[in-house]
Amino acid sequence: MDSMFSIAEILEKSGLSYDTIRYYVKIGLLPPTKRKENGQREYGTIHLERLIFISHLKRTGMPLKEIKQYLTMATAQNYERCYDLLYKHKHEIESQMVEIKATLELVNYKLDHFKDLMKKSGLGDE
């Protein structure tokens, strides 16, 4: 049986805000939810997993429009198109990683430089 979650649990587990989740529902990124007798929405594992996946894609720069396109293709079982979208995004992530690594190396160089300057001026604790 699928685990069911309240909106509070979904917020905690996904790290997203209430407004973000409601927006994702509004634009069709999440499948419909069931409602309890008191009218509160119940979210299943599918909702949580999808929210986490969307968060990862968004964090790596995929626009919501492309995420929605991917989810639409996945629902339609257009696996080739899903593969193409994710493969393209994978290459974009790899490019980002190369850029981030170069930036990290530059920041580390600058930190070493400032550490040396502080040491020479008597500010360092070494």
Side-chain angles (χ1 to χ4, degrees):
M1 180 165 173
D2 192 29
S3 297
M4 300 305 286
F5 306 100
S6 68
I7 186 65
E9 292 170 316
I10 286 290
L11 296 174
E12 181 184 332
K13 291 178 184 299
S14 70
L16 298 171
S17 71
Y18 178 81
D19 290 337
T20 298
I21 292 172
R22 296 301 300 140
Y23 180 69
Y24 289 174
V25 169
K26 180 180 174 182
I27 65 172
L29 292 180
L30 289 178
T33 58
K34 296 179 184 177
R35 290 191 184 261
K36 296 187 215 177
E37 289 179 14
N38 64 5
Q40 289 181 330
R41 295 179 190 273
E42 281 188 311
Y43 296 86
T45 304
I46 188 171
H47 297 97
L48 179 59
E49 289 173 353
R50 186 172 285 190
L51 286 169
I52 291 169
F53 185 60
I54 290 167
S55 294
H56 282 282
L57 292 177
K58 242 182 105 23
R59 195 174 309 127
T60 57
M62 184 181 273
L64 287 177
K65 181 179 176 181
E66 283 184 33
I67 294 171
K68 184 171 183 178
Q69 186 179 22
Y70 167 82
L71 294 171
T72 300
M73 293 297 135
T75 301
Q77 298 181 346
N78 187 338
Y79 304 129
E80 187 176 348
R81 184 71 178 120
C82 289
Y83 180 89
D84 291 343
L85 280 170
L86 286 182
Y87 191 78
K88 177 184 170 225
H89 190 64
K90 174 186 175 272
H91 284 287
E92 291 171 8
I93 293 169
E94 290 170 342
S95 293
Q96 290 173 12
M97 290 173 68
V98 167
E99 291 174 19
I100 289 170
K101 185 174 186 268
T103 301
L104 180 60
E105 288 172 2
L106 178 61
V107 168
N108 281 332
Y109 169 79
K110 290 289 189 179
L111 287 170
D112 288 343
H113 174 70
F114 285 117
K115 187 189 292 183
D116 288 344
L117 290 174
M118 290 187 311
K119 190 175 182 180
K120 288 177 183 173
S121 64
L123 298 173
D125 56 349
E126 295 179 22

